[in-house]
Amino acid sequence: MYKSNQLVKIFHGPQHPGITGNMSVELDLDAETIVNATTHVGYLHRGFEKLVERRTIPQAFTIVCRICVPAPAPNEANFARGIENLAGIEIPEKASWIRTMVLEMQRITAQFLWMAGQGGSLGLYVNPQWAVADRDFMLDLFEELTGGRVYHMYIYPGGVRRDLPDGFLDKLSALLDYYETRLPEYDRVFFNNAVFKKRAIGAGIVDPSTALKYGITGPVLRAAGYQKDVRKYAPYEKYSELEFDIPTATESDVYARAMVRREELVQSFRILRQIIQRMPKTGDYQVKLKNHHQFKIPTGETWVRTESARGEFAYYMASDGSEYLRRMQVKGPSMVHAMSLLETVLKGAQLADVAMIMNSLGTCPPEIER
Amino acid sequence: MNWKPDIKGLIEPFTALKYLFKRPATITYPDVKRETPAGYRGFHVNDQVKCIGCGICEDICMNVAIDMVTPEEIKNPKNTSGLIPRVDYGRCCWCSLCTDVCPTKSLKLTPEYVLVTEDPNDFLYTVPEPKGDIQ
Amino acid sequence: MSFIDTDLQPRFPNREFTVDAQGIIKTETNTAELLGLISRFHNESGFELLDTISCTDWIEEGVLHLNYILYSYQHNQTLFVKVKLPRELKEDGTKRTVAELPSVSSIWPQAEDFERELWEMFGVNVVGHNDLREFFLEDWQDLPPNRRDFDTLKFVNDHFEFRVGREDAKSVAEERKRLKELRDMEKAKLSGETE
Ligand code: SF4
Ligand code: SF4
């Protein structure tokens, strides 16, 4: 490897191929090799945590989905579950099933968006075109179910906001059939692609021995050989009743993470098929909340976690007996993945691999800054 | 050096070329338009014959997008305040909370969502009467 | 037997642990003992992971309520280590608290980012941290914005303009009152005429 022993400083970002949002990485380069990397955030601070303090519960619910662009549903689910914990609300059976379904559909869209980004960061441009198009079919279903394509504002404290439309489950099932026929095509074009393998194998290795301690979650953790998933160790909604496997790998490089995500996609199809089978035909889909000025929650605190496609999404919420939340603190996977983890992983990597590694770690700036 | 080229991995990606001969997945907008599902959250409509001017929609809107204004003509004699909502589309996020809380269900969202204008004041949207029968 | 009885209580005999309805274990400590206690939880009780450090501003009690949220994959348990930090700020204009909070970044490197956020958004005076610089904000001279006494609405009104053209908005309550008075007056006039 060529070394010039002279450091050059460049800024990678704030606009990136393949990740949603803006964030810059300051790189010290020795020729092409990265000696030092520092993450700079601050382009997307919107102050959601502060805004929530001034809004009543139904009003606050409409902004939490905007915390994460690729996967808003885990945020809504966290918020709703947190409020239900604090206020002691039981949600109906059907609502819980619909929520599980929406969360799983959301994981699929996020995986496709990741696939698009991973292809884009490598210059394999067929992949982004296909993945974004295939993701759009899922968004069409979301549009029908929730009325919104990306920000659904659907999972609501006390249930979900609408019932399933007629024939929705059939459409979902047909879409899953289509996705299953598409997966071998993705294998040919992307996962088995010689270019991708050559670039990804051995790149961006996360040290497995420290992975648990450093708060790494999601596919990154599983590609390091740990079979850990919030859906298994702290099951929420209906996940404890569903059958699915947690794929793992041991290499802990970009390629291993890609294969783990591919397998997760297959597992999501499997989960959705079970949900389609077991979805209750009738039943309530929400409990009515009080008028938003009278909906007061007793003092308390709670900590809820959801497995998003990129890792564990967790909310800390504290209430003070009024109709406002005292505090809502969001901890997304990127808070660790894009900061301390990315900085370590990038050391010794090549300049050309930065975008690929960032994408592979599941970096998403909007959720770092909220 | 042991050099083993990954022949399969090099050739297989070119199978994507077969899509050159298939119909595109996109539609040629604006000649062909997508059908928006009935439940889509687009522009508001307000059935003024039913609206009672209670202002609950204004109260819940956290984006302060709704103003209560005096209409040219009050169509509902039971409208106690003589006001109807007007939405600022520069602020609205189409969360549909206002339509959820509307006690008479006069305020609704429609699947329409295209608004092109040169005048920024058009975004102060005087909520129209519903066209036809939107449930 | 619960995890507290078998594992935590024997190791920490004088410490009080409570469990809430969701099964979260809670214990309270102070800043002086914090570092020692937390590293014991980490080294001896299998709490590998610091998930986050949450902070709530209880302005009525004058404290910042910190929760070190620890998680143990081994035992599948969540532990909140509470610290109450007096919230008053130093007088020298740095807008950081008088009370000092020791950094735990020697145990978990990711804590560096959590503490940087606390330092910036709540003005917590973190000591033993080697990288306290601006995180989300740029050239921020005001109060740390996540403190309760920072008024978001005032900030917005001071810094941004509202669009023109919305002045004709009326208050529903006032308009109702006005209409009612009008109707009453008309009624009175009518009854006056008939007499
Ligand atoms: S639209 Fe509905 S909520 Fe709004 S003033 Fe009219 S009746 Fe009340
Ligand atoms: S849809 Fe939401 S943001 Fe828009 S006017 Fe109604 S309540 Fe306000």
Side-chain angles (χ1 to χ4, degrees):
Chain A
M1 219 172 279
Y2 175 71
K3 286 226 158 127
S4 67
N5 291 325
Q6 211 179 11
L7 291 190
V8 178
K9 192 181 277 297
I10 70 161
F11 276 86
H12 191 275
Q15 316 290 351
H16 293 281
I19 63 165
T20 42
N22 319 84
M23 169 186 115
S24 88
V25 193
E26 182 187 341
L27 303 168
D28 290 329
L29 290 171
D30 185 347
E32 286 270 288
T33 313
I34 296 158
V35 181
N36 209 352
T38 320
T39 310
H40 291 284
V41 293
Y43 303 91
L44 281 168
H45 180 64
R46 294 151 292 173
F48 287 138
E49 290 176 350
K50 187 76 185 172
L51 281 177
V52 164
E53 291 173 14
R54 313 191 52 246
R55 295 177 173 210
T56 58
I57 304 303
Q59 293 182 332
F61 137 84
T62 61
I63 51 168
V64 289
C65 56
R66 288 174 166 75
I67 289 169
C68 174
V69 183
N75 289 285
E76 293 175 11
N78 266 347
F79 182 77
R81 278 168 54 224
I83 297 291
E84 283 150 16
N85 281 347
L86 289 171
I89 301 173
E90 281 281 332
I91 66 163
E93 183 78 1
K94 188 171 184 188
S96 191
W97 278 106
I98 297 181
R99 277 186 188 183
T100 320
M101 181 184 80
V102 169
L103 285 172
E104 213 49 48
M105 284 162 70
Q106 185 75 79
R107 283 171 59 83
I108 292 181
T109 62
Q111 302 293 23
F112 274 119
L113 202 62
W114 158 79
M115 224 191 265
Q118 192 79 95
S121 61
L122 287 162
L124 301 170
Y125 288 119
V126 173
N127 206 42
Q129 308 283 354
W130 282 9
V132 169
D134 282 343
R135 171 175 177 262
D136 257 44
F137 293 122
M138 192 55 105
L139 297 190
D140 285 347
L141 284 189
F142 272 130
E143 186 177 85
E144 195 178 327
L145 175 65
T146 69
R149 285 179 82 79
V150 177
Y151 296 129
H152 318 125
M153 301 181 245
Y154 182 64
I155 300 177
Y156 188 74
V160 294
R161 282 178 88 188
R162 296 182 187 176
D163 206 349
L164 291 178
D166 293 336
F168 181 81
L169 294 176
D170 298 335
K171 281 186 199 161
L172 180 60
S173 162
L175 184 64
L176 293 180
D177 292 341
Y178 167 75
Y179 281 160
E180 270 161 13
T181 63
R182 289 287 288 164
L183 218 46
E185 304 241 7
Y186 280 108
D187 282 345
R188 280 200 283 276
V189 170
F190 182 59
F191 291 104
N192 295 336
N193 192 328
V195 177
F196 179 47
K197 277 189 176 169
K198 193 90 193 154
R199 292 275 305 269
I201 292 178
I205 295 181
V206 174
D207 182 4
S209 62
T210 54
L212 279 186
K213 181 178 159 183
Y214 289 176
I216 297 162
T217 52
V220 185
L221 181 64
R222 295 194 274 278
Y226 296 95
Q227 205 165 25
K228 303 285 183 199
D229 190 311
V230 183
R231 293 174 296 170
K232 283 279 190 211
Y233 65 71
Y236 46 91
E237 306 301 353
K238 291 291 169 199
Y239 279 112
S240 53
E241 299 178 25
L242 296 165
E243 260 176 52
F244 57 98
D245 301 329
I246 309 292
T248 55
T250 47
E251 294 85 359
S252 197
D253 57 7
V254 174
Y255 192 69
R257 293 197 277 273
M259 292 320 271
V260 165
R261 285 192 167 105
R262 184 195 175 281
E263 191 51 40
E264 277 184 14
L265 207 52
V266 176
Q267 295 300 330
S268 291
F269 299 158
R270 192 172 150 204
I271 294 174
L272 278 175
R273 291 217 188 274
Q274 293 174 43
I275 294 175
I276 293 172
Q277 293 265 311
R278 299 185 56 184
M279 178 70 75
K281 296 276 174 308
T282 52
D284 276 345
Y285 55 92
Q286 57 174 214
V287 286
K288 283 265 172 289
L289 301 183
K290 285 192 198 134
N291 174 310
H292 73 127
H293 290 303
Q294 272 124 40
F295 185 50
K296 299 204 166 138
I297 331 179
T299 314
E301 55 180 0
T302 183
W303 171 247
V304 279
R305 289 178 292 188
T306 301
E307 183 79 21
S308 82
R310 290 174 297 108
E312 173 200 284
F313 239 108
Y315 275 33
Y316 170 85
M317 287 194 214
S319 53
D320 54 3
S322 72
E323 64 269 45
Y324 302 101
L325 278 179
R326 175 52 66 110
R327 174 95 174 117
M328 181 188 92
Q329 183 158 338
V330 182
K331 196 245 167 184
S334 293
M335 188 70 195
V336 176
H337 289 193
M339 305 293 302
S340 47
L341 179 63
L342 184 69
E343 286 169 5
T344 11
V345 170
L346 280 185
K347 268 180 207 144
Q350 297 294 297
L351 174 62
D353 290 343
V354 176
M356 174 180 78
I357 292 173
M358 272 169 81
N359 193 266
S360 168
L361 294 180
T363 307
C364 175
E367 90 197 16
I368 305 176
E369 303 166 51
R370 284 93 68 181
Chain B
M1 202 174 93
N2 188 2
W3 192 67
K4 261 203 281 158
D6 180 4
I7 305 278
K8 207 166 142 236
L10 281 172
I11 303 219
E12 274 193 343
F14 289 99
T15 53
L17 287 177
K18 71 171 187 252
Y19 282 86
L20 283 177
F21 309 103
K22 294 202 174 165
R23 278 192 35 215
T26 47
I27 52 169
T28 49
Y29 187 84
D31 300 338
V32 186
K33 290 208 173 73
R34 240 182 108 244
E35 209 176 302
T36 323
Y40 191 79
R41 301 193 307 258
F43 293 157
H44 295 72
V45 287
N46 186 10
D47 194 348
Q48 286 183 25
V49 179
K50 285 203 255 159
C51 175
I52 52 170
C54 59
I56 294 180
C57 50
E58 182 202 20
D59 175 57
I60 195 141
C61 180
M62 64 283 146
N63 295 332
V64 203
I66 297 186
D67 290 331
M68 298 301 287
V69 292
T70 315
E72 280 161 17
E73 171 200 5
I74 298 168
K75 297 192 181 147
N76 184 357
K78 292 214 188 78
N79 191 331
T80 47
S81 67
L83 301 172
I84 55 158
R86 179 188 65 195
V87 185
D88 180 358
Y89 277 160
R91 302 188 72 110
C92 175
C93 71
W94 288 277
C95 63
S96 112
L97 280 182
C98 51
T99 61
D100 279 7
V101 297
C102 175
T104 60
K105 298 288 167 225
S106 66
L107 196 63
K108 294 224 169 63
L109 295 183
T110 58
E112 290 297 312
Y113 57 89
V114 184
L115 171 62
V116 183
T117 170
E118 286 184 352
D119 180 10
N121 283 332
D122 287 351
F123 281 85
L124 277 179
Y125 191 78
T126 313
V127 182
E129 295 278 344
K131 278 191 253 117
D133 51 314
I134 293 153
Q135 339 83 35
Chain C
M1 285 262 272
S2 70
F3 176 70
I4 299 185
D5 299 332
T6 58
D7 231 284
L8 289 178
Q9 211 69 70
R11 265 189 247 272
F12 303 92
N14 301 326
R15 186 143 280 288
E16 204 179 304
F17 293 98
T18 53
V19 188
D20 75 354
Q22 297 163 63
I24 298 169
I25 306 168
K26 294 178 181 172
T27 186
E28 195 173 328
T29 184
N30 54 32
T31 46
E33 286 175 8
L34 175 74
L35 204 54
L37 182 70
I38 263 191
S39 54
R40 278 191 68 201
F41 280 132
H42 173 248
N43 297 334
E44 297 170 24
S45 300
F47 284 93
E48 303 102 334
L49 165 66
L50 173 72
D51 227 327
T52 192
I53 307 173
S54 78
C55 182
T56 317
D57 189 353
W58 293 93
I59 191 165
E60 309 88 337
E61 298 167 26
V63 289
L64 291 173
H65 198 140
L66 300 173
N67 269 324
Y68 285 73
I69 301 177
L70 307 186
Y71 180 72
S72 163
Y73 282 104
Q74 237 169 315
H75 307 292
N76 193 6
Q77 296 284 351
T78 312
L79 173 71
F80 279 14
V81 182
K82 273 180 205 300
V83 180
K84 285 191 175 155
L85 201 72
R87 73 186 291 288
E88 77 247 26
L89 296 177
K90 273 193 253 183
E91 311 241 304
D92 58 0
T94 48
K95 305 212 169 67
R96 299 292 170 244
T97 55
V98 181
E100 292 179 341
L101 184 77
S103 166
V104 295
S105 57
S106 54
I107 313 176
W108 293 283
Q110 76 266 30
E112 231 170 67
D113 301 322
F114 304 151
E115 282 161 357
R116 231 172 111 191
E117 193 189 332
L118 289 181
W119 175 83
E120 178 169 63
M121 303 308 265
F122 285 94
V124 175
N125 186 1
V126 184
V127 290
H129 187 293
N130 48 22
D131 195 23
L132 284 178
R133 41 194 175 89
E134 281 180 332
F135 200 11
F136 306 152
L137 310 172
E138 206 177 344
D139 292 334
W140 188 263
Q141 305 297 340
D142 219 326
L143 262 184
N146 264 358
R147 294 173 75 89
R148 289 290 280 196
D149 37 8
F150 175 79
D151 189 346
T152 331
L153 192 61
K154 183 171 169 291
F155 177 82
V156 170
N157 285 336
D158 288 352
H159 288 78
F160 301 98
E161 275 170 24
F162 277 85
R163 74 172 293 162
V164 289
R166 288 184 61 178
E167 300 79 16
D168 53 346
K170 289 176 191 148
S171 140
V172 171
E174 274 171 26
E175 201 65 5
R176 262 195 199 140
K177 218 168 107 198
R178 195 178 66 83
L179 281 183
K180 191 157 176 293
E181 274 165 15
L182 222 79
R183 269 198 305 270
D184 287 351
M185 238 151 67
E186 238 157 65
K187 236 189 244 157
K189 218 159 80 191
L190 268 180
S191 54
E193 270 169 23
T194 44
E195 261 167 33

